[in-house]
């Protein structure tokens, strides 16, 4: 820190736990609790480019706008099932973007040393997913409604990127 860089009494140095400015501004140190990772780590996905946590802090939504979505494959309008639904087939939508949800599970006895944890819940897909859509560039989860932006979505017209916002409701 260069204390000569500003006029006296117009400089502020705030480091965790040092001086009174830290307390005067209402800053409180936070303890590290958990690192959130993608369920299938892959380079260049921009995992964490957008994040949102529900107001009750029980659902975390993370966007990876360059992630590759795993898209379920259906045969003959889903009339054919394999192994009583035990076997499913997926296809990749290269760099289409992915949105992941994580659910909070509290610890039996929550302390600073043993906090609750967020656990991977699901990958959220949209029915129009196409490569390079950047689905998950922006995410918001409020009152059971998830919204995810896809700025490169072309709405079925490969000549232009119109963009789209997808809305998913979870009333339960």
């Amino acid at each position: 820190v260069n204390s000569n860089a500003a006029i006296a009494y117009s400089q502020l140095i705030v480091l965790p736990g040092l001086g009174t400015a830290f307390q005067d501004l209402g800053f409180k140190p936070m303890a590290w609790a958990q690192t959130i990772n993608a369920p299938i780590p892959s380079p260049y996905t921009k995992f964490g480019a957008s994040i949102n946590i529900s107001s009750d802090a029980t659902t975390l939504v993370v966007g990876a706008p360059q992630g590759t979505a795993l898209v379920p494959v259906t045969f003959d309008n889903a009339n054919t099932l394999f192994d009583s639904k035990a076997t499913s087939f997926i296809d990749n939508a290269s760099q289409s973007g992915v949105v992941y949800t994580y659910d909070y599970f509290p610890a039996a006895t929550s302390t600073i040393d043993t906090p609750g944890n967020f656990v991977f819940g699901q990958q959220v897909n949209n029915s129009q997913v196409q490569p390079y859509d950047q689905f998950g560039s922006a995410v918001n989860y409020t009152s059971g409604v998830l919204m995810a932006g896809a700025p490169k979505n072309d709405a079925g017209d490969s000549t232009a990127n119109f963009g789209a916002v997808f809305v998913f409701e979870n009333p339960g």
Side-chain angles (χ1 to χ4, degrees):
V1 175
N2 181 355
S3 60
N4 297 323
I7 301 170
Y9 306 109
S10 66
Q11 42 189 328
L12 177 65
I13 299 171
V14 179
L15 299 172
L18 299 177
T20 60
F22 191 79
Q23 291 94 7
D24 291 347
L25 291 172
F27 292 140
K28 295 180 182 171
M30 298 185 73
W32 172 87
Q34 180 182 5
T35 299
I36 304 293
N37 293 308
I40 303 173
S42 182
Y44 312 113
T45 64
K46 293 190 176 180
F47 178 81
S50 60
I51 60 172
N52 185 259
I53 190 161
S54 62
S55 59
D56 62 1
T58 59
T59 303
L60 173 68
V61 180
V62 180
Q66 290 182 353
T68 296
L70 304 176
V71 182
V73 175
T74 58
F75 300 93
D76 61 21
N77 292 325
N79 290 325
T80 301
L81 303 175
F82 298 91
D83 300 327
S84 297
K85 295 186 183 181
T87 300
S88 60
F89 296 89
I90 59 170
D91 198 2
N92 294 332
S94 179
Q95 295 186 25
S96 58
V98 182
V99 172
Y100 301 107
T101 64
Y102 294 81
D103 301 311
Y104 179 74
F105 287 95
T109 54
S110 184
T111 68
I112 198 161
D113 295 322
T114 58
N117 285 303
F118 281 95
V119 178
F120 172 68
Q122 67 179 350
Q123 174 188 304
V124 179
N125 291 318
N126 74 69
S127 60
Q128 300 174 20
V129 67
Q130 294 293 322
Y132 312 109
D133 278 355
Q134 296 183 358
F135 177 67
S137 290
V139 294
N140 182 283
Y141 183 76
T142 305
S143 301
V145 177
L146 169 63
M147 298 175 73
K152 302 285 184 169
N153 181 282
D154 59 14
D157 178 358
S158 63
T159 63
N161 290 320
F162 296 101
V165 174
F166 295 89
V167 179
F168 306 89
E169 292 187 58
N170 184 3

